[in-house]
Amino acid sequence: MSLPITALVLCLTLPLLGAIATVAAPRHATPLVTSVAGLMVAVTIGLTSHVAIHGPVVVALGEWAPPLGIQIMADGPAVLFLLVNALVMAAVVLFSLAPIGQPGPRSRLAQTFWPLLLLLWGALNAIFVSRDLFNLYVGLELASLAAVALVAIERKRDTLNAALRYLLFALTGSLLYLLGVVLIYAGHGTLDITLLAGELGMHPTDALAIGAMTAGLAAKTALFPFHVWLPPAHAGAPAPASAVLSALVPKASLYIALRLWLEAAPGAGDAIAVNVLGWLGALAVVHGSIMALRQERLKLVIAYSTVAQIGYLFLVFPLALGAAGAAGSGVADSAWNGTLFQALSHALAKAALFLCAGLILEAAGHDRIARLAGVAQALPVTLFAFGLAAITLMGLPPSGGFMAKYLLVTASLEGGVPGWGLIVLAGGLLAAAYLYRPMASAFRHPDQESAAPFTTVAAWRQAIPLGLAIASLALGILPAVPHELMGGMP
Amino acid sequence: MTATEWLPFTVCAAALIGLGLYGLVTQPLLLRRVIAFNVIGSGIFLLFGALSGSESAGTDSVPQAMIITGIVVALSATALALALVVAHAREGGRDP
């Protein structure tokens, strides 16, 4: 096997092997997990640079070509997602190294947390490189089960409630997706995305299949009317788990929807369907932002912000496939690249925000926004990271979020549908409003009598969210390489 | 297979999926929702078998492999769901 193929296979197998080893030898969990995380980052960086120089890496498993075999492929968008996944996961592993609070139950928590985290890592990587709709289903289900278990990890009544609600949404979503897979296989006799490209939409059952799959994926991505499970689940989980859940897990189902609509069935989406998806995205931006403005707790603000930010991602459907897409391939390219920039920079920034919220929760003992006065003096580095991540979410230059919004607005203007661009801009203003509240509260000076003591947090742990926030800015400062890798509409 | 052979299976599968979806939406009890989820799953697997039988002359082995994988996935999902329901009941939580 050549080196890039080995790297691609390692991306899938190493996290799973690590998860098994961590369960088998919980005493050695810490060195095991850190070495797996380090290796994975190295392997992913290597694979990304190979794909950037030489083009996609394709592996036909067992040397069986599709339609009988299953192909995995690391193309530009896939390696970008693999890389961001590796960065966020490694940051979360580092973050959860410190024994927080009492050592006994916490270390047990870490030992159940790490196998689940590695399992999720492997499942997400499998989704990013799969080219087979059924293989994607298996990856999606693995990721959902690991994610639900991560929500329920503290076994408190509220988090169990949230986990059960999440599970019901996730399972219904997977079943709808599976129904679509069945119908597509019955109609076309293959599930390989490359073979399906251009074919999808010809068969009479295809509309039903794509509709069911999209509804299922939208429920898993927490698109507007299906988002009710997200805020309690993401706010209830421990901070490192929330970081992964909010940053990466919704992106996996979105990624499948993108592959399905833009790559397998570019001609199948009619104007009404793509506009409905766009409208739901727009409603998500407005509703999520307003709900985020009204929250009392910092983690809930960040969780509702995810609902809003996911809304932008669904604007790609009207922009790339609807009226704007008809205007020319340049518009569709901007919409596609903008959506990927948004997905990647949101992943980095949202992980940074949740880790910051975790540190604030540790230092202050609570995350009520009204009582955060003085946090900025106690945790200056954390607040700096919070501010940098907020810049990305608002879409201010220079950041990955700015690149995303610039490309989306360009696509909407050039495509002659400026309404979608207005939604993007309005979302940025609303993000500034809901992220300003916790910042303002944290920078207030505490009153002499009501000043609560803050526990100190190690500087290296404050540096972890800072690193993620800087990475999300770097996407906007050096956008050429990722832009090259995204390559425009497939 | 002729239409008279595969049609009953397809109708049964559609009925199972519909019943399961109805149960999933209307049943308030968690355990019943988990069962409803399994009913939908069975319906989808039956549909998969019936539709693949209708297309080709012999038996297509790819759907069989996928159905078995799907059953394994559904089994693990059910196991996790039941574990959560039990933990939820132990904590004294009421059905949401």
Side-chain angles (χ1 to χ4, degrees):
Chain A
M1 278 202 295
S2 72
L3 207 57
I5 292 179
T6 314
L8 180 52
V9 172
L10 275 181
C11 276
L12 302 181
T13 49
L14 204 56
L16 300 181
L17 289 176
I20 296 169
T22 320
V23 172
R27 282 161 185 277
H28 308 289
T30 313
L32 267 172
V33 171
T34 39
S35 46
V36 167
L39 263 175
M40 280 297 292
V41 171
V43 166
T44 333
I45 290 176
L47 188 62
T48 309
S49 44
H50 178 88
V51 172
I53 297 164
H54 299 284
V57 181
V58 185
V59 185
L61 294 180
E63 304 202 340
W64 290 92
L68 193 58
I70 293 174
Q71 213 171 45
I72 57 176
M73 176 162 97
D75 56 357
V79 286
L80 285 173
F81 275 94
L82 287 182
L83 186 62
V84 165
N85 194 11
L87 289 179
V88 172
M89 286 286 182
V92 165
V93 165
L94 277 181
F95 188 89
S96 55
L97 280 181
I100 305 156
Q102 64 279 39
R106 179 65 206 183
S107 64
R108 200 164 64 232
L109 192 65
Q111 281 162 11
T112 47
F113 174 69
W114 281 333
L116 285 172
L117 193 71
L118 290 176
L119 203 61
L120 185 60
W121 195 341
L124 291 174
N125 280 358
I127 291 173
F128 295 141
V129 299
S130 284
R131 302 287 300 167
D132 179 278
L133 292 177
F134 188 77
N135 213 14
L136 283 168
Y137 163 74
V138 175
L140 197 60
E141 198 72 310
L142 266 178
S144 296
L145 294 184
V148 169
L150 276 176
V151 171
I153 200 163
E154 279 184 337
R155 288 183 153 255
K156 286 186 295 201
R157 191 197 291 184
D158 288 350
T159 57
L160 283 172
N161 257 334
L164 272 167
R165 195 196 281 197
Y166 181 13
L167 184 72
L168 287 173
F169 270 89
L171 289 184
T172 316
S174 339
L175 285 178
L176 285 172
Y177 178 82
L178 184 62
L179 182 63
V181 170
V182 168
L183 291 174
I184 287 182
Y185 186 82
H188 300 276
T190 180
L191 290 170
D192 187 77
I193 289 178
T194 319
L195 292 178
L196 281 174
E199 293 283 311
L200 219 51
M202 306 289 185
H203 205 268
T205 53
D206 280 353
L208 177 62
I210 296 176
M213 291 166 97
T214 311
L217 292 170
K220 280 178 172 285
T221 319
L223 181 61
F224 165 62
F226 311 114
H227 68 283
V228 286
W229 58 266
L230 187 144
H234 288 189
S242 321
V244 175
L245 291 172
S246 224
L248 302 170
V249 177
K251 305 295 167 6
S253 41
L254 173 92
Y255 183 84
I256 299 176
L258 289 179
R259 291 266 191 213
L260 181 69
W261 278 75
L262 304 180
E263 201 162 334
D270 68 309
I272 301 170
V274 294
N275 278 321
V276 164
L277 282 175
W279 271 110
L280 291 179
L283 285 172
V285 171
V286 175
H287 175 81
S289 304
I290 292 173
M291 288 304 283
L293 262 174
R294 294 174 52 197
Q295 297 308 310
E296 299 286 310
R297 286 180 46 214
L298 181 57
K299 281 185 90 177
L300 276 169
V301 171
I302 305 174
Y304 272 106
S305 147
T306 301
V307 174
Q309 299 278 329
I310 282 170
Y312 297 127
L313 301 173
F314 280 85
L315 298 182
V316 71
F317 298 105
L319 287 177
L321 296 174
S329 65
V331 175
D333 282 352
S334 303
W336 162 263
N337 290 340
T339 304
L340 291 190
F341 262 111
Q342 167 67 14
L344 298 170
S345 57
H346 174 256
L348 292 165
K350 190 47 63 80
L353 279 188
F354 262 119
L355 293 185
C356 287
L359 290 173
I360 291 172
L361 192 66
E362 264 174 53
H366 68 87
D367 66 342
R368 302 219 159 262
I369 292 172
R371 286 166 42 211
L372 285 182
V375 168
Q377 281 84 20
L379 301 169
V381 181
T382 307
L383 260 289
F384 184 53
F386 193 98
L388 289 186
I391 286 177
T392 291
L393 289 194
M394 294 176 213
L396 299 180
S399 67
F402 170 72
M403 276 308 291
K405 287 184 181 148
Y406 173 74
L407 287 166
L408 287 174
V409 172
T410 312
S412 82
L413 289 180
E414 286 182 0
V417 275
W420 302 119
L422 274 182
I423 294 288
V424 173
L425 296 176
L429 288 178
L430 284 165
Y434 64 70
L435 289 167
Y436 171 76
R437 276 179 63 231
M439 290 285 275
S441 179
F443 276 99
R444 258 191 287 120
H445 279 280
D447 306 331
Q448 285 307 319
E449 59 265 34
S450 70
F454 291 108
T455 353
T456 48
V457 176
W460 66 268
R461 294 188 70 213
Q462 297 196 47
I464 296 169
L466 185 63
L468 286 175
I470 290 173
S472 78
L473 286 191
L475 262 181
I477 297 169
L478 304 163
V481 177
H483 191 272
E484 192 78 8
L485 274 170
M486 289 166 193
M489 266 280 279
Chain B
M1 273 167 112
T2 57
T4 46
E5 280 171 332
W6 60 262
L7 202 60
F9 292 106
T10 320
V11 172
C12 278
L16 279 176
I17 295 171
L19 274 174
L21 274 176
Y22 178 77
L24 199 64
V25 174
T26 58
Q27 288 297 330
L29 293 176
L30 286 170
L31 201 55
R32 293 194 182 177
R33 288 187 172 190
V34 175
I35 293 171
F37 160 75
N38 277 283
V39 171
I40 304 177
S42 309
I44 291 177
F45 298 138
L46 184 59
L47 184 68
F48 209 169
L51 288 179
S52 66
S54 72
E55 289 288 321
S56 58
T59 322
D60 190 352
S61 56
V62 176
Q64 291 188 356
M66 288 189 204
I67 291 171
I68 291 171
T69 316
I71 289 174
V72 174
V73 172
L75 175 77
S76 10
T78 310
L80 178 65
L82 290 178
L84 279 178
V85 170
V86 170
H88 185 252
R90 283 218 178 111
E91 290 295 317
R94 283 187 295 161
D95 288 338

